[in-house]
Amino acid sequence: MKLWGGRFTKPTNRLVEEYTASIDFDQKLFEEDIRGSLAHVKMLGDCGIIEPDEAKVITEGLKKIRKRIQSGEVEFSVTHEDIHMNIEKLLIEEVGPVGGKLHTGRSRNDQVALDMHLYVRARTLDLVQGLLGLRESLTSKAEQHVDTILPGYTHLQRAQPVRLAHHLLAYVDMFGRDIERLVDSYKRVNMLPLGAGALAGTTFPIQREQVAEELGFKRLYDNSMDAVSDRDYLVEFLSISSLIMVHLSRLSEELILWSSEEFGYIELDDAFCTGSSMMPQKKNPDVPELIRGKTGRVMGSWIALLTTLKALPLAYNKDMQEDKEGIFDTVETLTGALALMAPMVEGMKVNEKKMRENAEEGFSNATDLADYLVNKGLPFRQAHEVVGRIVLDCVQKGITLLDVDLGAYQTVCPLIEEDVYEKLQVSNVTDARKSGSGTARERVLEVLRKKRKEIDETLDWLNTVIY
Ligand code: ARG
């Protein structure tokens, strides 16, 4: 017998049951569903909407059911469609007809919204924690490599030398913005939709504030129709998650390139790589490749939900049941990626020699020669032209700017003097970039200290919010 069977004259077609059911995936929400019901029934009892001893019986019943589901003994049924009705059915079997009082003043529409708010709220904090761990690993690695110099690239061509710490700190800032976005979204996740009923509110004298307090929600929805049909916080979660994956994917791409023989900048730890079934020499960076590869499905879930929502009239529509699988899949994908990236960064071996050789080999100090001439009074455009000619000559001879002798320099430009060789050393080249957000050693050390402070601030924030 269905919980809503009264109005029907025939049993539901089996294919319809299977097509409309969500229990296969929304059983993931059982903890949230029971937690929400416990708060709801307590309020019903306290407000005298049901008898206090009825509330007690229902509470005990719900706790028993939670234990049974946790132990894996419960078999959910498609006949009862979703997690909400499966649990209600179990409750009525457990405590008798009084269990039917739990749903007083509530609809599945505000119930499912509550479950998703609880679920995403906890996962938002998990993601902040995961990102914090990754920021910590990247910052530690950066601290170890303040004096490791590699070429910085534009267009994947060697451009100007940078400190490895500086390169890694760029990712620390990307993941820092991701944390900021999650923290900001948290206030929109941390809202109580319960009390909206099906869409228009309820006739019972409920106390939403009590339920909000019980569940730690900081705000209540002002509009019941919005409360049951708002999925913005899920779109935001998927959008933030997509960007996190894009950042992880860019980092992955660098790890893959850097660990290739062509670059030879790093070696990933054996524990984080896999072999080839045919080629015995292979050590493949499967983990960063898969993180890069899985980015697409998270972006896909975001677009899928936006598309589901774009033409929905108010208020609840069954289309909204489609919000769940993308969210669950995204949580799983991101949790896995973050858990692997942090130790992978920590465990990678850096080939400092190869990095420096490459930084010295190219013409990554050419801008500095131009700046040198500007300091001697030449307009930048002219300096650019002069250095361009010198570089062309070096390319033809197969030498670097440090190999050109002073006489040869002075025939091209008499402004060049002996001190040029000191200026063109890669470490001096990086340290000359002191202004703004540059790669000079003193700037990098300053930023490292700032990042340590930011990490502590995020930890403090986490301690102020509840699960
Ligand atoms: N399983 C549904 C969902 O996930 C729960 C809400 C259903 N409400 C309804 N009136 N059919 O959206």
Side-chain angles (χ1 to χ4, degrees), residues 22 26 81-82 84 108-109 112 316 318 320-321 324:
S22 52
D26 68 13
E81 196 180 318
D82 55 25
H84 326 294
R108 270 186 300 151
N109 297 350
V112 72
Y316 179 83
K318 185 75 167 184
M320 288 172 165
Q321 184 166 285
K324 289 174 197 64

Side-chain angles (χ1 to χ4, degrees), residues 82-127:
D82 55 25
I83 187 63
H84 326 294
M85 288 199 293
N86 267 273
I87 289 176
E88 198 178 328
K89 188 76 186 169
L90 288 166
L91 177 69
I92 292 168
E93 280 164 15
E94 182 76 38
V95 303
V98 67
K101 294 200 174 194
L102 167 65
H103 211 51
T104 311
R106 184 177 78 170
S107 155
R108 270 186 300 151
N109 297 350
D110 54 349
Q111 185 179 358
V112 72
L114 170 60
D115 292 4
M116 288 303 275
H117 274 276
L118 285 170
Y119 178 82
V120 169
R121 184 175 71 173
R123 300 294 90 79
T124 299
L125 299 185
D126 290 346
L127 287 189

